[in-house]
Amino acid sequence: MSGLEIMRSAEVICSYIMKGFDMTKNCPIILCGFTSSGKTTIGKLLSERLGLPFYDTDQMLIEHYQMTIPEIFAKGGETLFRDYEHEIARRVCTLGPSVVSTGGGMLTFDRNGEILEKSGTIFYIDRPFEDCYRNLALHPERPLFKNHTKEEIENTYLTRRGLYKKYAKYDIPNTKGPQDAVEKICALL
């Protein structure tokens, strides 16, 4: 984040504080980022800290459609998965005060990014690629890891990074652990 962006963010936060506006009062806090960036871990810690319910969009999708993500991919490929994911994004818009961890690809589609940006405050959990990849390698069953080379995954990471930044109001580095990221988010609320 550039100095100018930090100053603008500080001005916005100060104006909310001056007006007595609680950013979490009426809308969800939405966490986006690459697969294995720490969204779910950070989201659970944040929801506990703020006393808000926690939702994971991948889990919401599994529960709503009564299928695992690999089963959805087997049934209709990525197209069906992304359509189901969009329906979940629409449901997120109705949640109210909560903490939501999105799937790694959810905000890479404008139709999701646009509606989520309007309904909540989006934080991009920015974790270095090597850290994400190391964690992803512990879960070889995940479609992203199972079906792609490390180079392809890194290219996806780089492409998605710009898309996350497009919709996120704040960029939260996740280099010092989840608790540090939670503290950074809380400082912006």
Side-chain angles (χ1 to χ4, degrees), residues 9-181:
S9 295
E11 289 171 2
V12 169
I13 292 166
C14 288
S15 71
Y16 285 150
I17 292 168
M18 299 283 284
K19 294 175 186 172
F21 180 77
D22 178 358
M23 289 172 63
T24 65
K25 187 173 182 180
N26 297 313
C27 63
I29 296 167
I30 301 167
L31 307 180
C32 73
F34 197 67
T35 305
S36 294
S37 63
K39 300 179 301 287
T40 300
T41 302
I42 292 166
K44 287 178 179 178
L45 290 170
L46 184 62
S47 76
E48 185 177 305
R49 169 95 176 258
L50 299 174
L52 295 173
F54 173 76
Y55 299 95
D56 180 294
T57 60
D58 285 345
Q59 194 58 43
M60 291 171 69
L61 190 145
I62 290 165
E63 290 172 10
H64 182 75
Y65 291 102
Q66 297 294 299
M67 287 188 278
T68 66
I69 291 172
E71 288 171 341
I72 296 168
F73 271 85
K75 180 180 177 183
E78 186 172 4
T79 301
L80 180 63
F81 175 76
R82 297 301 175 193
D83 286 344
Y84 284 1
E85 188 177 57
H86 179 63
E87 178 56 35
I88 297 303
R90 292 179 56 204
R91 289 172 181 261
V92 167
C93 296
T94 68
L95 291 177
S98 56
V99 177
V100 180
S101 170
T102 61
M106 183 174 274
L107 267 78
T108 64
F109 291 85
D110 288 334
R111 66 183 181 168
N112 297 333
E114 289 167 2
I115 63 172
L116 292 173
E117 182 181 37
K118 290 176 185 171
S119 71
T121 304
I122 302 175
F123 292 83
Y124 165 42
I125 306 303
D126 188 0
R127 188 175 188 197
F129 172 74
E130 287 300 329
D131 293 345
C132 291
Y133 186 79
R134 195 170 21 261
N135 192 44
L136 188 58
L138 299 173
H139 305 280
E141 74 282 358
R142 294 179 106 163
L144 183 64
F145 187 81
K146 185 177 177 180
N147 302 322
H148 299 91
T149 66
K150 182 178 180 180
E151 184 179 321
E152 290 170 330
I153 296 169
E154 186 170 18
N155 287 336
T156 300
Y157 172 91
L158 294 170
T159 300
R160 287 182 177 183
R161 196 163 198 257
L163 296 168
Y164 300 141
K165 287 176 177 276
K166 177 179 178 180
Y167 293 107
K169 185 168 187 151
Y170 303 105
D171 185 329
I172 304 297
N174 184 15
T175 55
K176 296 180 182 175
Q179 195 59 50
D180 181 68

